């Protein structure tokens, strides 16, 4: 029985790692793809707001799992009262509005940033969430950070500077479709997205945790609200805002649909992103209660390394118009920055404990540097957006 449980957990962890990596890889590959749009002119897929809609659809699918779990529990209890939240429905729906808006803004800012930076840099820069989450938890949750946590945040900041500097220096010595200004803008947007995602963590801690809502229901409900907001408000507004896109729009979602229709590979990437979001949430929420901070940190690191490795493999082995190249002059600076980000996470989560500056056991609640959109401060919640 114990060996079967270990095998099952291992499968879930591998699934979590693979689908988490696919979140980034499919989204970036879709951005790098070219297809004919609504006016039959070929151009790259530049629709970060539409990709946010796909993300919310993936999150909303978690409600199917939640409903399956509820029915399974009802059958097991044979008519007994199900142990689910009993707050009035209006409470359970209204509290999801603000975190959904944070999720929407954070994911879209991050998605726009991904248009301008390599996938590996994008993945690493998201480590900034540790800094913002730590500071906001002090301000709004009145938590006390010890020297070890501030040290972890400082080391993380150094790592972020190294990763950002490496991408700027590489751009100075290379050519491509992205300008120097766009690259810097991408970095700023990604860091801003982490501030919004950290705010979402705090909002969920304040408004949702006290209601004891199952984490998978939180993800699903925010996904449903996100689909409604994107479909009825955000995407129509983006269409009518003047811009350089088709029909003179800031973003034309009809053009995104046309591009995917005209390019089956682009459609597969979009569906891959959608389903990887759904399965990643399921895998993450299934194993999180049995994982320690060490396991989560290792998974975070493995996800970044896997994304970087696959991107390099695609570029050098499969097709050089996709993935990313390794710069032999400044690539090692990015590698050093990644090592500093890892060290900062280890220190913040007190996986590395230093006498006299670490907190007394049990360790301070850990915050991971991964998970697209956020990792809410809900018990046992891991997800990507």
């Amino acid at each position: 029985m114990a060996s079967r449980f270990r095998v099952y957990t291992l499968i879930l962890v591998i699934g979590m790692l693979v689908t988490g990596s696919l979140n980034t890889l499919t989204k970036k590959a879709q951005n790098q793809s070219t297809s004919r749009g609504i006016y039959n002119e070929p151009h790259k897929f530049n629709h970060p707001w539409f990709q946010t809609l796909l993300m919310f659809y993936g999150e909303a699918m978690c409600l199917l799992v939640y409903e399956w779990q509820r029915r399974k529990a009802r059958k097991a209890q044979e008519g007994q009262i199900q142990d689910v939240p009993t707050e009035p429905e209006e409470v359970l729906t209204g509290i999801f509005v603000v975190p959904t808006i944070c999720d929407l803004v954070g994911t879209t800012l991050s998605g726009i940033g991904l248009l301008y930076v390599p996938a590996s840099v994008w993945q690493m820069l998201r480590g900034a969430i540790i800094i913002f989450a730590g500071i906001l938890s002090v301000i709004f949750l009145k938590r006390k950070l010890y020297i070890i946590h501030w040290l972890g945040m400082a080391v993380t900041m150094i790592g972020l500077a190294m990763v950002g500097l490496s991408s700027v220096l590489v751009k100075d010595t290379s050519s491509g479709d992205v300008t120097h200004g766009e690259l810097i803008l991408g970095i700023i947007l990604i860091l801003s997205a982490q501030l919004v995602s950290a705010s979402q963590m705090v909002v969920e801690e304040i408004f949702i945790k006290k209601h004891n809502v199952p984490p998978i229901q939180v993800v699903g409900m925010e996904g449903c609200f996100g689909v409604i907001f994107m479909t009825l408000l955000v995407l129509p507004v983006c269409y009518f805002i003047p811009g350089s896109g088709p029909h003179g729009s800031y973003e034309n979602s009809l053009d995104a649909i046309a591009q995917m229709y005209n390019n089956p590979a682009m459609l597969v990437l979009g569906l891959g992103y959608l389903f990887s979001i759904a399965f990643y949430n399921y895998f993450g929420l299934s194993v999180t209660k049995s994982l320690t901070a060490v396991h989560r940190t290792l998974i975070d690191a493995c996800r970044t390394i896997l994304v970087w490795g696959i991107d390099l493999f695609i570029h050098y082995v499969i097709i050089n118009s996709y993935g990313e190249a390794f710069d032999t002059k400044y690539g090692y600076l990015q590698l050093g920055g990644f090592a500093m980000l890892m060290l900062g996470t280890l220190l913040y989560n007190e996986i590395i404990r230093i006498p006299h500056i670490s907190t007394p056991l049990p360790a301070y609640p850990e915050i991971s540097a991964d998970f697209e959109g956020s990792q809410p401060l809900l018990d046992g919640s891991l997800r990507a957006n």
Side-chain angles (χ1 to χ4, degrees), residues 60-177:
M61 291 176 65
C62 291
L63 280 183
L64 299 176
V65 178
Y66 172 67
E67 184 60 28
W68 171 75
Q69 291 176 342
R70 282 167 56 93
R71 294 188 178 186
K72 183 179 178 181
R74 286 195 186 101
K75 291 182 179 180
Q77 295 179 4
E78 295 182 349
Q80 296 181 14
I81 298 177
Q82 172 67 17
D83 184 18
V84 296
T86 57
E87 290 84 354
E89 187 66 22
E90 60 270 20
V91 174
L92 286 179
T93 55
I95 60 177
F96 296 109
V97 173
V98 175
T100 298
I101 294 174
C102 292
D103 200 1
L104 189 159
V105 174
T107 300
T108 305
L109 288 177
S110 185
I112 297 173
L114 183 60
L115 293 171
Y116 306 127
V117 304
S120 63
V121 173
W122 180 81
Q123 191 74 41
M124 294 178 192
L125 289 177
R126 296 174 60 202
I129 195 170
I130 282 182
I131 299 173
F132 296 127
I135 294 175
L136 291 178
S137 68
V138 172
I139 297 175
F140 295 102
L141 302 179
K142 308 304 179 183
R143 285 183 173 154
K144 180 180 179 181
L145 295 183
Y146 293 84
I147 297 177
I148 187 70
H149 306 124
W150 292 108
L151 178 61
M153 292 160 62
V155 173
T156 299
M157 191 175 298
I158 295 173
L160 292 170
M162 293 174 65
V163 171
L165 180 61
S166 69
S167 61
V168 172
L169 293 175
V170 169
K171 180 59 188 174
D172 283 337
T173 60
S174 63
S175 60
D177 297 332

Side-chain angles (χ1 to χ4, degrees), residues 2-24:
S3 61
R4 183 181 300 177
F5 175 77
R6 284 195 295 269
V7 171
Y8 176 70
T9 303
L10 178 62
I11 293 174
L12 291 177
V13 169
I14 293 175
M16 178 181 169
L17 176 61
V18 171
T19 55
S21 300
L22 286 174
N23 294 162
T24 303

